[in-house]
Amino acid sequence: MRIKVINPNTTAGMTAKIGEAARLVAAPGTDILAVNPAAGPVSIESHYDEALSVLGVLEEVRAGEREGVDGYVIACFGDPGLLAAREIAGAPVLGIAEAAMHVASLIATGFSVVTTLTRTCIIAEHLVERYGMQPFCRRVRGSDVPVLDLEETGSGAFATILEECRAAIQEDRSSAIVLGCAGMADLAARIERELGVPVIDGVAAAVKLIEALVGLGVSTSKRGDLAWPDAKPYAGTLASFAPSGGALRRARSLTNV
Ligand code: 2AL
């Protein structure tokens, strides 16, 4: 099975770290393709960054459909472009926020999200609502660690995040932590050892859930709103993004029959 893990920002070092975290949990026989778009923000820390990252995510999913990958992970905690990606993919697509929150809700009655800049808390809070996680999510906490500080040894990011996680356990009545950034993927095991509660990294959670969905033989429904977008032309510099009505995937599955 091949899972394409898409880092929606353009920082290659973070993509490599995300790939390593994915490979650590992947089953034997699962290949992880960790990629990032060539163009776009170096980190995603605002609604604007997030909106502009979506084209790169969709470009990677379109390429993945041509390559015939078996599943996709959108490895940014805002789950940018998730439903659009599902529309254009025949294989299952998961965002790391939805994967992490769902896993946390299965092993604890209450969790806190610990994320990067406080200004991004609203993005996670909107996702808590969208995924129906209000009964489980006790609080979304900003650590005010910038995303790219997670790439710098000596930035003090680990200590700051650890203290925010400790405060979550003490103050929020939470019994699990969801890490609110793909750049924290390498911190989960250390924080878990320090605090003695489950710490969920969405990259690992999403990879295992994709393996489970593929194992169950289920994928995104192509009936209703997640059906292939209707074919139509797109104008100007976005002409290459014009939907083909799912012709590519349908042609491939017909040849496979
Ligand atoms: C993220 C993330 O996961 N990747 C990124 O660039 N920004 N999320 C966040 N809350 O800062």
Side-chain angles (χ1 to χ4, degrees):
M1 164 185 337
R2 284 189 303 160
I3 302 179
K4 190 168 194 179
V5 180
I6 305 167
N7 172 17
N9 76 41
T10 52
T11 298
M14 189 181 294
T15 308
K17 179 166 68 177
I18 289 167
E20 270 172 41
R23 282 181 201 105
L24 265 181
V25 297
T30 296
D31 284 333
I32 301 292
L33 315 166
V35 299
N36 61 257
V42 294
S43 61
I44 299 166
E45 300 174 300
S46 65
H47 302 295
Y48 185 78
D49 291 341
E50 188 172 291
L52 285 168
S53 74
V54 171
L55 283 184
V57 170
L58 297 178
E59 213 163 25
E60 290 296 346
V61 173
R62 283 158 58 94
E65 290 296 282
R66 289 192 294 272
E67 296 151 5
V69 305
D70 299 292
Y72 302 88
V73 172
I74 300 179
C76 172
F77 206 78
D79 294 353
L82 178 61
L83 292 180
R86 281 194 180 136
E87 280 184 335
I88 61 164
V93 186
L94 294 181
I96 62 168
E98 69 170 354
M101 290 185 205
H102 281 89
V103 166
S105 75
L106 298 174
I107 48 101
T109 54
F111 64 80
S112 295
V113 176
V114 173
T115 188
T116 56
L117 301 188
T118 301
R119 67 178 294 168
T120 69
C121 287
I122 189 66
I123 296 176
E125 285 161 0
H126 284 161
L127 293 182
V128 167
E129 284 173 29
R130 180 158 129 198
Y131 302 143
M133 285 287 148
Q134 299 98 324
F136 299 99
C137 183
R138 300 253 155 87
R139 186 164 162 191
V140 177
R141 287 175 168 262
S143 64
D144 285 323
V145 170
V147 170
L148 293 184
D149 275 15
L150 295 164
E151 302 308 294
E152 303 289 333
T153 41
S155 70
F158 176 74
T160 307
I161 290 160
L162 177 63
E163 285 324 300
E164 200 62 40
C165 293
R166 199 187 304 280
I169 303 305
Q170 287 167 356
E171 296 168 15
D172 306 345
R173 286 185 306 112
S174 285
S175 42
I177 298 290
V178 164
L179 295 178
C181 180
M184 299 178 185
D186 58 335
L187 308 183
R190 280 158 75 198
I191 298 174
E192 192 166 288
R193 273 197 304 275
E194 291 277 346
L195 300 183
V197 297
V199 175
I200 311 299
D201 154 48
V203 175
V207 165
K208 295 314 283 181
L209 290 178
I210 290 282
E211 287 182 344
L213 294 175
V214 172
L216 286 167
V218 294
S219 190
T220 307
S221 174
K222 286 296 157 191
R223 196 178 170 98
D225 64 297
L226 294 178
W228 308 102
D230 293 337
K232 72 179 73 158
Y234 278 21
T237 55
L238 296 186
S240 68
F241 281 91
S244 61
L248 186 73
R249 174 63 72 159
R250 274 199 288 271
R252 197 148 53 78
S253 57
L254 282 178
T255 9
N256 288 347
V257 168

